[in-house]
Short mmCIF file of all heavy atoms in Angstrom, two decimals:
data_model
loop_
_atom_site.label_atom_id
_atom_site.label_comp_id
_atom_site.label_asym_id
_atom_site.label_seq_id
_atom_site.Cartn_x
_atom_site.Cartn_y
_atom_site.Cartn_z
N ALA E 21 1.14 -5.14 8.13
CA ALA E 21 0.94 -4.18 9.26
C ALA E 21 0.62 -2.79 8.72
O ALA E 21 -0.24 -2.10 9.26
CB ALA E 21 2.21 -4.13 10.10
N LEU E 22 1.29 -2.37 7.64
CA LEU E 22 1.02 -1.08 7.02
C LEU E 22 -0.41 -1.02 6.49
O LEU E 22 -1.14 -0.03 6.70
CB LEU E 22 1.98 -0.76 5.90
CG LEU E 22 3.37 -0.25 6.32
CD1 LEU E 22 4.29 -0.24 5.14
CD2 LEU E 22 3.27 1.11 6.99
N ALA E 23 -0.80 -2.07 5.77
CA ALA E 23 -2.14 -2.12 5.22
C ALA E 23 -3.17 -2.07 6.32
O ALA E 23 -4.19 -1.36 6.21
CB ALA E 23 -2.32 -3.40 4.39
N ASN E 24 -2.93 -2.74 7.47
CA ASN E 24 -3.88 -2.71 8.61
C ASN E 24 -3.98 -1.31 9.17
O ASN E 24 -5.07 -0.83 9.49
CB ASN E 24 -3.45 -3.70 9.65
CG ASN E 24 -3.72 -5.12 9.26
OD1 ASN E 24 -4.54 -5.40 8.39
ND2 ASN E 24 -2.95 -6.03 9.85
N ARG E 25 -2.84 -0.65 9.29
CA ARG E 25 -2.86 0.73 9.88
C ARG E 25 -3.57 1.68 8.96
O ARG E 25 -4.33 2.56 9.37
CB ARG E 25 -1.45 1.14 10.18
CG ARG E 25 -0.88 0.40 11.37
CD ARG E 25 0.57 0.72 11.61
NE ARG E 25 1.16 -0.13 12.64
CZ ARG E 25 1.17 0.13 13.92
NH1 ARG E 25 0.65 1.24 14.37
NH2 ARG E 25 1.74 -0.70 14.78
N LEU E 26 -3.34 1.58 7.62
CA LEU E 26 -3.99 2.46 6.68
C LEU E 26 -5.50 2.22 6.71
O LEU E 26 -6.28 3.19 6.68
CB LEU E 26 -3.41 2.25 5.26
CG LEU E 26 -2.03 2.78 5.06
CD1 LEU E 26 -1.43 2.23 3.76
CD2 LEU E 26 -2.04 4.30 5.02
N GLU E 27 -5.88 0.98 6.80
CA GLU E 27 -7.34 0.68 6.87
C GLU E 27 -7.96 1.23 8.14
O GLU E 27 -9.04 1.76 8.13
CB GLU E 27 -7.56 -0.87 6.77
CG GLU E 27 -8.99 -1.26 6.77
CD GLU E 27 -9.76 -0.72 5.54
OE1 GLU E 27 -9.13 -0.43 4.48
OE2 GLU E 27 -11.01 -0.62 5.62
N LYS E 28 -7.24 1.14 9.24
CA LYS E 28 -7.73 1.66 10.52
C LYS E 28 -7.94 3.17 10.41
O LYS E 28 -8.92 3.69 10.87
CB LYS E 28 -6.72 1.32 11.60
CG LYS E 28 -7.14 1.71 12.99
CD LYS E 28 -6.07 1.28 13.95
CE LYS E 28 -6.34 1.69 15.37
NZ LYS E 28 -5.25 1.29 16.27
N ILE E 29 -6.98 3.86 9.78
CA ILE E 29 -7.11 5.29 9.58
C ILE E 29 -8.35 5.64 8.77
O ILE E 29 -9.13 6.56 9.06
CB ILE E 29 -5.79 5.91 8.97
CG1 ILE E 29 -4.68 5.82 10.01
CG2 ILE E 29 -6.02 7.33 8.44
CD1 ILE E 29 -3.29 6.09 9.41
N ARG E 30 -8.54 4.86 7.70
CA ARG E 30 -9.73 5.11 6.85
C ARG E 30 -11.05 4.82 7.57
O ARG E 30 -11.98 5.60 7.51
CB ARG E 30 -9.65 4.25 5.59
CG ARG E 30 -8.68 4.76 4.57
CD ARG E 30 -8.78 4.03 3.24
NE ARG E 30 -8.28 2.70 3.28
CZ ARG E 30 -7.01 2.34 3.06
NH1 ARG E 30 -6.12 3.25 2.75
NH2 ARG E 30 -6.65 1.11 3.10
N GLU E 31 -11.07 3.67 8.30
CA GLU E 31 -12.34 3.30 8.94
C GLU E 31 -12.63 4.12 10.19
O GLU E 31 -13.75 4.61 10.35
CB GLU E 31 -12.26 1.83 9.36
CG GLU E 31 -12.38 0.89 8.16
CD GLU E 31 -12.38 -0.59 8.58
OE1 GLU E 31 -12.29 -0.87 9.81
OE2 GLU E 31 -12.44 -1.41 7.67
N ARG E 32 -11.68 4.27 11.10
CA ARG E 32 -11.96 4.95 12.36
C ARG E 32 -11.92 6.47 12.22
O ARG E 32 -12.54 7.18 13.03
CB ARG E 32 -10.95 4.50 13.41
CG ARG E 32 -11.10 3.03 13.76
CD ARG E 32 -10.34 2.64 14.96
NE ARG E 32 -11.06 3.08 16.17
CZ ARG E 32 -10.50 3.16 17.32
NH1 ARG E 32 -9.25 2.86 17.52
NH2 ARG E 32 -11.20 3.55 18.38
N GLY E 33 -11.15 6.99 11.24
CA GLY E 33 -11.05 8.38 11.11
C GLY E 33 -11.81 8.99 9.94
O GLY E 33 -11.89 10.21 9.78
N GLY E 34 -12.42 8.10 9.13
CA GLY E 34 -13.16 8.58 7.97
C GLY E 34 -12.30 9.28 6.93
O GLY E 34 -12.77 9.99 6.08
N ILE E 35 -10.96 9.07 7.03
CA ILE E 35 -10.02 9.75 6.17
C ILE E 35 -9.88 8.96 4.86
O ILE E 35 -9.66 7.73 4.85
CB ILE E 35 -8.62 9.83 6.83
CG1 ILE E 35 -8.74 10.45 8.23
CG2 ILE E 35 -7.67 10.67 5.94
CD1 ILE E 35 -9.12 11.88 8.31
N LYS E 36 -10.06 9.66 3.75
CA LYS E 36 -9.95 9.01 2.45
C LYS E 36 -8.49 8.84 2.00
O LYS E 36 -7.62 9.53 2.54
CB LYS E 36 -10.70 9.87 1.41
CG LYS E 36 -12.16 10.01 1.68
CD LYS E 36 -12.75 11.03 0.71
CE LYS E 36 -14.25 11.29 0.87
NZ LYS E 36 -14.97 10.86 1.93
N GLY E 37 -8.22 7.91 1.08
CA GLY E 37 -6.88 7.62 0.66
C GLY E 37 -6.09 8.85 0.21
O GLY E 37 -4.91 9.03 0.56
N ARG E 38 -6.75 9.69 -0.58
CA ARG E 38 -6.03 10.90 -1.07
C ARG E 38 -5.73 11.87 0.06
O ARG E 38 -4.74 12.59 0.06
CB ARG E 38 -6.78 11.55 -2.23
CG ARG E 38 -8.08 12.19 -1.87
CD ARG E 38 -8.74 12.90 -3.08
NE ARG E 38 -10.10 13.21 -3.01
CZ ARG E 38 -10.91 13.47 -2.02
NH1 ARG E 38 -10.46 13.43 -0.80
NH2 ARG E 38 -12.16 13.79 -2.19
N GLU E 39 -6.62 11.89 1.08
CA GLU E 39 -6.38 12.73 2.26
C GLU E 39 -5.25 12.20 3.12
O GLU E 39 -4.48 12.95 3.70
CB GLU E 39 -7.66 12.85 3.07
CG GLU E 39 -8.77 13.61 2.29
CD GLU E 39 -10.11 13.48 2.90
OE1 GLU E 39 -10.39 12.52 3.67
OE2 GLU E 39 -10.98 14.34 2.61
N ILE E 40 -5.13 10.85 3.21
CA ILE E 40 -4.04 10.25 3.92
C ILE E 40 -2.74 10.69 3.25
O ILE E 40 -1.79 11.12 3.91
CB ILE E 40 -4.16 8.68 3.97
CG1 ILE E 40 -5.33 8.29 4.81
CG2 ILE E 40 -2.84 8.09 4.52
CD1 ILE E 40 -5.67 6.78 4.77
N ALA E 41 -2.69 10.63 1.94
CA ALA E 41 -1.51 11.03 1.17
C ALA E 41 -1.17 12.50 1.48
O ALA E 41 -0.02 12.85 1.73
CB ALA E 41 -1.71 10.84 -0.32
N GLN E 42 -2.21 13.34 1.46
CA GLN E 42 -2.01 14.79 1.75
C GLN E 42 -1.43 14.97 3.12
O GLN E 42 -0.44 15.72 3.33
CB GLN E 42 -3.36 15.50 1.64
CG GLN E 42 -3.32 16.94 2.05
CD GLN E 42 -4.72 17.56 2.17
OE1 GLN E 42 -5.72 16.97 1.80
NE2 GLN E 42 -4.78 18.76 2.70
N LEU E 43 -2.01 14.31 4.12
CA LEU E 43 -1.52 14.45 5.51
C LEU E 43 -0.10 13.96 5.69
O LEU E 43 0.63 14.48 6.52
CB LEU E 43 -2.47 13.68 6.46
CG LEU E 43 -3.86 14.28 6.65
CD1 LEU E 43 -4.80 13.27 7.28
CD2 LEU E 43 -3.75 15.53 7.46
N LEU E 44 0.28 12.94 4.90
CA LEU E 44 1.63 12.36 5.05
C LEU E 44 2.62 13.02 4.09
O LEU E 44 3.79 12.64 4.09
CB LEU E 44 1.57 10.87 4.83
CG LEU E 44 0.65 10.11 5.79
CD1 LEU E 44 0.64 8.62 5.44
CD2 LEU E 44 1.02 10.38 7.24
N GLY E 45 2.19 13.99 3.28
CA GLY E 45 3.09 14.65 2.38
C GLY E 45 3.60 13.77 1.26
O GLY E 45 4.76 13.84 0.87
N THR E 46 2.70 12.94 0.71
CA THR E 46 3.08 12.10 -0.41
C THR E 46 1.92 12.03 -1.35
O THR E 46 0.97 12.81 -1.29
CB THR E 46 3.50 10.69 0.13
OG1 THR E 46 4.07 9.97 -0.96
CG2 THR E 46 2.35 9.94 0.73
N THR E 47 1.96 11.11 -2.33
CA THR E 47 0.93 11.03 -3.35
C THR E 47 -0.01 9.82 -3.05
O THR E 47 0.37 8.87 -2.37
CB THR E 47 1.55 10.76 -4.75
OG1 THR E 47 2.21 9.51 -4.78
CG2 THR E 47 2.55 11.88 -5.12
N PRO E 48 -1.23 9.86 -3.59
CA PRO E 48 -2.14 8.75 -3.42
C PRO E 48 -1.55 7.42 -3.99
O PRO E 48 -1.77 6.38 -3.45
CB PRO E 48 -3.39 9.18 -4.18
CG PRO E 48 -3.37 10.65 -4.16
CD PRO E 48 -1.91 11.02 -4.21
N GLU E 49 -0.78 7.55 -5.08
CA GLU E 49 -0.18 6.38 -5.68
C GLU E 49 0.83 5.74 -4.72
O GLU E 49 0.90 4.50 -4.65
CB GLU E 49 0.49 6.74 -6.99
CG GLU E 49 -0.46 7.20 -8.11
CD GLU E 49 -0.90 8.65 -7.96
OE1 GLU E 49 -0.28 9.45 -7.21
OE2 GLU E 49 -1.91 9.03 -8.55
N THR E 50 1.60 6.56 -4.03
CA THR E 50 2.54 6.04 -3.05
C THR E 50 1.83 5.34 -1.93
O THR E 50 2.24 4.21 -1.53
CB THR E 50 3.44 7.16 -2.55
OG1 THR E 50 4.17 7.73 -3.62
CG2 THR E 50 4.45 6.69 -1.48
N VAL E 51 0.76 5.93 -1.42
CA VAL E 51 0.01 5.27 -0.33
C VAL E 51 -0.55 3.93 -0.81
O VAL E 51 -0.54 2.93 -0.09
CB VAL E 51 -1.10 6.20 0.20
CG1 VAL E 51 -1.99 5.47 1.18
CG2 VAL E 51 -0.48 7.45 0.87
N SER E 52 -1.01 3.90 -2.06
CA SER E 52 -1.53 2.69 -2.62
C SER E 52 -0.45 1.61 -2.68
O SER E 52 -0.67 0.43 -2.40
CB SER E 52 -2.07 2.93 -4.04
OG SER E 52 -2.53 1.76 -4.62
N ARG E 53 0.77 2.00 -3.06
CA ARG E 53 1.91 1.07 -3.14
C ARG E 53 2.26 0.54 -1.70
O ARG E 53 2.59 -0.62 -1.55
CB ARG E 53 3.14 1.71 -3.79
CG ARG E 53 2.96 1.82 -5.31
CD ARG E 53 4.28 2.18 -5.99
NE ARG E 53 4.74 3.51 -5.68
CZ ARG E 53 4.39 4.63 -6.32
NH1 ARG E 53 3.55 4.57 -7.36
NH2 ARG E 53 4.87 5.80 -5.96
N TRP E 54 2.15 1.40 -0.71
CA TRP E 54 2.37 0.95 0.66
C TRP E 54 1.31 -0.07 1.03
O TRP E 54 1.59 -1.09 1.65
CB TRP E 54 2.28 2.07 1.64
CG TRP E 54 3.28 3.19 1.54
CD1 TRP E 54 4.46 3.16 0.84
CD2 TRP E 54 3.22 4.47 2.14
NE1 TRP E 54 5.12 4.34 0.96
CE2 TRP E 54 4.36 5.20 1.77
CE3 TRP E 54 2.26 5.12 2.96
CZ2 TRP E 54 4.63 6.52 2.17
CZ3 TRP E 54 2.51 6.38 3.34
CH2 TRP E 54 3.65 7.07 2.96
N ASN E 55 0.07 0.24 0.69
CA ASN E 55 -1.08 -0.61 1.03
C ASN E 55 -0.96 -1.99 0.40
O ASN E 55 -1.41 -2.96 0.98
CB ASN E 55 -2.37 0.08 0.66
CG ASN E 55 -3.56 -0.49 1.28
OD1 ASN E 55 -3.58 -0.72 2.51
ND2 ASN E 55 -4.62 -0.75 0.51
N THR E 56 -0.43 -2.07 -0.80
CA THR E 56 -0.33 -3.36 -1.49
C THR E 56 1.00 -4.06 -1.27
O THR E 56 1.22 -5.14 -1.80
CB THR E 56 -0.56 -3.16 -2.98
OG1 THR E 56 0.44 -2.25 -3.51
CG2 THR E 56 -1.96 -2.68 -3.30
N GLY E 57 1.90 -3.43 -0.50
CA GLY E 57 3.17 -4.05 -0.20
C GLY E 57 4.24 -3.90 -1.29
O GLY E 57 5.27 -4.55 -1.22
N LYS E 58 3.95 -3.07 -2.28
CA LYS E 58 4.93 -2.89 -3.38
C LYS E 58 6.13 -2.08 -2.89
O LYS E 58 7.23 -2.17 -3.47
CB LYS E 58 4.27 -2.22 -4.56
CG LYS E 58 3.27 -3.15 -5.23
CD LYS E 58 2.64 -2.50 -6.43
CE LYS E 58 1.60 -3.44 -7.00
NZ LYS E 58 0.86 -2.80 -8.09
N THR E 59 5.96 -1.25 -1.89
CA THR E 59 7.03 -0.44 -1.33
C THR E 59 6.70 -0.11 0.10
O THR E 59 5.56 -0.25 0.53
CB THR E 59 7.28 0.83 -2.17
OG1 THR E 59 8.46 1.46 -1.68
CG2 THR E 59 6.11 1.79 -2.09
N GLU E 60 7.70 0.34 0.85
CA GLU E 60 7.50 0.73 2.24
C GLU E 60 7.81 2.24 2.35
O GLU E 60 8.62 2.76 1.61
CB GLU E 60 8.42 -0.05 3.18
CG GLU E 60 8.02 -1.55 3.23
CD GLU E 60 8.94 -2.31 4.13
OE1 GLU E 60 9.78 -1.70 4.83
OE2 GLU E 60 8.81 -3.56 4.17
N PRO E 61 7.15 2.92 3.32
CA PRO E 61 7.41 4.34 3.46
C PRO E 61 8.82 4.62 3.98
O PRO E 61 9.41 3.81 4.72
CB PRO E 61 6.35 4.77 4.52
CG PRO E 61 5.78 3.55 5.06
CD PRO E 61 6.14 2.39 4.25
N GLN E 62 9.32 5.79 3.59
CA GLN E 62 10.57 6.25 4.14
C GLN E 62 10.36 6.51 5.64
O GLN E 62 9.23 6.72 6.06
CB GLN E 62 11.00 7.57 3.46
CG GLN E 62 11.32 7.40 2.01
CD GLN E 62 12.54 6.56 1.77
OE1 GLN E 62 13.52 6.64 2.48
NE2 GLN E 62 12.49 5.64 0.79
#
């Protein structure tokens, strides 16, 4: 579900991964871990 939502943000909003991290107050590496299921967001 997280991976789907992140993909939707990238596709529909044109927002890049590093920008998603910026907007959410985290790092691109953390967003990548959410996307791959290695961890879940707080």
Side-chain angles (χ1 to χ4, degrees):
L22 281 171
N24 287 337
R25 289 173 188 269
L26 288 165
E27 183 62 23
K28 185 178 177 183
I29 290 167
R30 283 190 289 271
E31 286 182 2
R32 294 191 79 197
I35 310 290
K36 298 172 180 12
R38 67 176 163 29
E39 294 167 337
I40 293 172
Q42 173 190 352
L43 289 166
L44 302 179
T46 191
T47 66
E49 294 80 17
T50 297
V51 172
S52 178
R53 286 192 292 273
W54 297 344
N55 197 47
T56 59
K58 292 180 182 174
T59 187
E60 293 179 6
Q62 295 294 319

